[in-house]
Amino acid sequence: MVYQSAKRMKVVVVGGGVIGSAIAFYLTDAGADVVLVERGELAGEASGAAAGLLIPPDRAAAPGPFRDICLASLALYRPAIDRVQRESGVDIQCRAAGILIVAQTESRVALLQAHAEWQTKHGVPTRWIERAELSELEPALSPQVHGAALSEDELNVDPAQVTRAFAFAAKAGGADLRTATMLTGFLGRGPRVTGISTNLGDITEADCVVLAAGPWTEVLAQRLGAKVPTPPRRGQMISYRSDGLRHAIWGEDGYLVPKAGGILYAGATVEDVGFRKRTTPRALASLRRMATALVPGLRRAQVAGEWAGLRPGSPDDLPIIGPLPQKENVYVATGHFRNGILLAPITGKLVSQLILEGRTEMTLEPFSPARFA
Ligand SMILES: Cc1cc2nc3c(=O)[nH]c(=O)nc-3n(C[C@H](O)[C@H](O)[C@H](O)COP(=O)(O)OP(=O)(O)OC[C@H]3O[C@@H](n4cnc5c(N)ncnc54)[C@H](O)[C@@H]3O)c2cc1C
């Protein structure tokens, strides 16, 4: 629907994770009247549990719409960060730490050398580093590592701060931010929704509603008669007190990410265990093995934290972004799986364009919720 009236369009966004917050920011910025509802606190779920790496995943290496939105989001990140930090006063703790994708086995060397060449050809300068140079660059790395592909420019961020920055920048632009507010039902009959009910009362006269409720989107869509599968994919993570690494390290079984304040994240598992958001001794032990295989000195490092989060999945591992089938004024933005922090800016921008202009600068067709109808 293209909104043409002189009145500002009223949009209710459900979910105060990174996706709902980015959508609230871009909509507010484009002139909409936004109410963002979050049942708990901002970034209280996956968006606060993530590592905050902004690296397009392997599958994005194949040309196609998924790679296109990953790269488009990456290109938006620095300008988006500058703006939302300024307007929200929230420090995103963006670090251009760079990443080393390491070969822990001889058989990975040729693969990673080819990866470095491919990345460089596609605009991400990456060079192969032999063992000797690697020892100088990251002395704490295990001598078992054969070499690594280094991209100097890769960013990492504090994902909870990114979420807050988008939400508070939206608020500074006029959005109504309501935490501890849970959607409990939809108002209206027939093909149009006119608002939502919440534990704190109704929000009425909505021109449209966006469901960005992470893995809980599926049950909300079900209430509107639509099928939008968003299986939770659990991820567990450990943090160490260690300032022994300068770069993020991507190994064969997991990754290490240096953060502010001498903290190092080690992650992450991918598990299909429903909505059980808890850590398990077995997964934590496997993360410790992964971490100490890369950096043996971590055996002596103090563990600072252990946690789990539920990523919003989808049956084909692609995001789900677009109009909800059978409803004229309900939209979905979820299913970002391992890439929601990376994909937040482009998702916010495209959903805002879709709602306010009825068209988007990049195709959303491959991500349409209608593919599950
Ligand atoms: C361990 C781990 C590591 C990760 N690392 C990275 C990484 O390095 N880079 C990257 O790009 N991504 C990473 N991710 C993935 C990323 O965290 C997710 O893709 C992203 O956070 C999803 O954001 P979201 O806003 O869709 O969902 P969520 O963060 O789950 O937000 C949805 C919100 O909706 C709210 N909600 C639900 N139901 C209702 C309701 N009825 N009413 C009101 N509110 C409701 C929830 O409380 C929640 O806050 C990682 C995830 C995990 C778990």
Side-chain angles (χ1 to χ4, degrees), residues 14-20 37-41 43-54 181-184 212-216 220 233-237 255 268 307-312 333-334 336-343:
V14 182
V18 74
I19 298 299
V37 298
E38 163 55 49
R39 65 178 181 184
E41 54 181 321
E45 297 291 345
S47 301
L53 286 165
L54 303 182
T181 306
M182 180 168 180
L183 179 152
T184 53
W216 298 273
L220 302 187
R233 315 287 303 276
R234 185 167 73 187
Q236 300 188 45
M237 193 116 86
Y255 53 75
W307 65 92
L310 301 173
R311 309 174 184 92
T334 186
H336 292 77
F337 187 33
R338 302 193 81 172
N339 310 297
I341 310 302
L342 168 66
L343 290 171

Side-chain angles (χ1 to χ4, degrees), residues 305-318:
E306 299 166 343
W307 65 92
L310 301 173
R311 309 174 184 92
S314 71
D316 53 12
D317 290 345
L318 289 176

